[in-house]
Amino acid sequence: MLHKTPGIVLRTVKYGDSSLILSIFTELFGIQSYIVNGVRSSKPKAAKGNLLQPGNILDLVVYHHEQKNLQRISEFKLGHVYTSMHVNIVKNTVALYLIELLQKTLKQPEQQPDLYHFTAGVFKALDAGPTTVAANLPLYFTLRLAAHLGFHFAGHYSSYTPYLDLQQGVFTDLPPHHTQYLDEFSSQVTDRLQQIQHLADLDKIELNKERRRNLLYAYLDFYKLHIPDFTELHSPPILNEILS
């Protein structure tokens, strides 16, 4: 049976002489693997293969069989046209981080329409917004993705709860008896990031390179505490250099 669904390309792998295997986060079926034939040859259809680069939002017509691990795409076209994300080095590096984090966390092919629409909105905002917004977007996305996945920091920063315990995922009144917690400044910034409603407001949070780096690694440590098989990402060091 054929189904229409938008989807975000997360990964492409060459297969055979002219085909690609894609990992796509779809609105209708969650994360799925698809094979597309004839997009790496000299035929006219091959030109459409340029549309399949990671980060692109596609409108798809797909075959779907619940018992199969590899699905097929009948038709595809761009669902959104980016103007700067693929050519601006800062935005492109941020996009690569978002994509890698999604690959590490989306394991089961379950429908998650709210997460899909949130993610698509973030990619569109990254493309349309200034680089000052892009700089803090990895922190914001990492926090919000955790909430969509079912774990997040509880409570709020205040003068009575100025420390964020990463092990317990809660703001506390005293530093915990371990090293996995955030100081007062980082705890306050985290609370501000969690309360952002409009992505344009991300440029109001001023952070230097070192603070931004430390926060991102702290949030990824939080992921490791909640996702047993969560492994190291390759993109954060590159992200840190580009955002410097």
Side-chain angles (χ1 to χ4, degrees):
M1 183 179 294
L2 287 171
H3 303 267
K4 292 182 178 180
T5 181
I8 303 168
V9 180
L10 300 184
R11 189 181 182 207
T12 65
V13 177
K14 294 178 181 178
Y15 182 77
D17 294 329
S18 63
S19 301
L20 290 173
I21 292 179
L22 309 174
S23 175
I24 301 181
F25 179 30
T26 70
E27 177 192 28
L28 201 56
F29 304 111
I31 188 77
Q32 293 286 332
S33 294
Y34 294 98
I35 186 168
V36 186
N37 302 118
V39 290
R40 292 175 45 236
S41 68
S42 58
K43 297 177 182 178
K45 182 180 177 181
K48 291 191 69 177
N50 297 326
L51 308 182
L52 300 174
Q53 59 183 307
N56 277 0
I57 299 172
L58 305 177
D59 285 334
L60 302 161
V61 179
V62 300
Y63 296 96
H64 187 78
H65 300 274
E66 291 291 341
Q67 279 70 43
K68 290 187 177 181
N69 293 324
L70 185 62
Q71 313 289 346
R72 286 190 172 273
I73 295 177
S74 174
E75 301 174 30
F76 64 91
K77 63 180 180 180
L78 281 180
H80 180 79
V81 179
Y82 295 124
T83 59
S84 65
M85 192 181 82
H86 289 311
V87 296
N88 180 294
I89 189 170
V90 172
K91 294 182 180 182
N92 188 247
T93 306
V94 170
L96 291 177
Y97 169 78
L98 305 184
I99 290 167
E100 187 180 16
L101 186 59
L102 287 166
Q103 286 180 287
K104 294 282 187 180
T105 54
L106 299 179
K107 301 296 185 181
Q108 300 300 321
E110 57 185 299
Q111 186 183 49
Q112 300 182 76
D114 289 343
L115 176 55
Y116 172 81
H117 288 292
F118 164 70
T119 302
V122 167
F123 275 102
K124 292 175 183 178
L126 172 62
D127 178 65
T131 54
T132 49
V133 168
N136 286 330
L137 197 55
L139 298 174
Y140 169 83
F141 184 79
T142 304
L143 290 174
R144 291 293 297 271
L145 176 60
H148 278 280
L149 295 174
F151 57 95
H152 61 92
F153 297 127
H156 293 284
Y157 170 88
S158 72
S159 58
Y160 300 103
T161 54
Y163 301 99
L164 180 52
D165 184 334
L166 295 176
Q167 285 191 7
Q168 300 299 320
V170 64
F171 290 87
T172 63
D173 56 345
L174 296 171
H177 298 296
H178 55 75
T179 59
Q180 291 181 301
Y181 70 92
L182 299 183
D183 62 23
E184 294 185 47
F185 178 84
S186 295
S187 298
Q188 185 178 28
V189 168
T190 300
D191 191 37
R192 289 180 64 192
L193 285 166
Q194 288 197 141
Q195 295 187 60
I196 289 286
Q197 297 296 318
H198 304 287
L199 293 181
D201 292 337
L202 284 171
D203 66 358
K204 297 177 183 178
I205 300 178
E206 297 183 8
L207 295 169
N208 61 30
K209 172 184 176 180
E210 195 63 24
R211 283 285 190 182
R212 194 177 284 118
R213 175 189 178 279
N214 290 342
L215 276 172
L216 186 61
Y217 278 103
Y219 298 163
L220 293 176
D221 284 341
F222 183 58
Y223 272 65
K224 292 175 186 176
L225 293 170
H226 288 81
I227 303 176
D229 59 347
F230 188 79
T231 55
E232 295 287 341
L233 276 69
H234 299 294
S235 55
I238 303 170
L239 185 65
N240 188 53
E241 286 301 314
I242 294 298
L243 294 181
S244 65

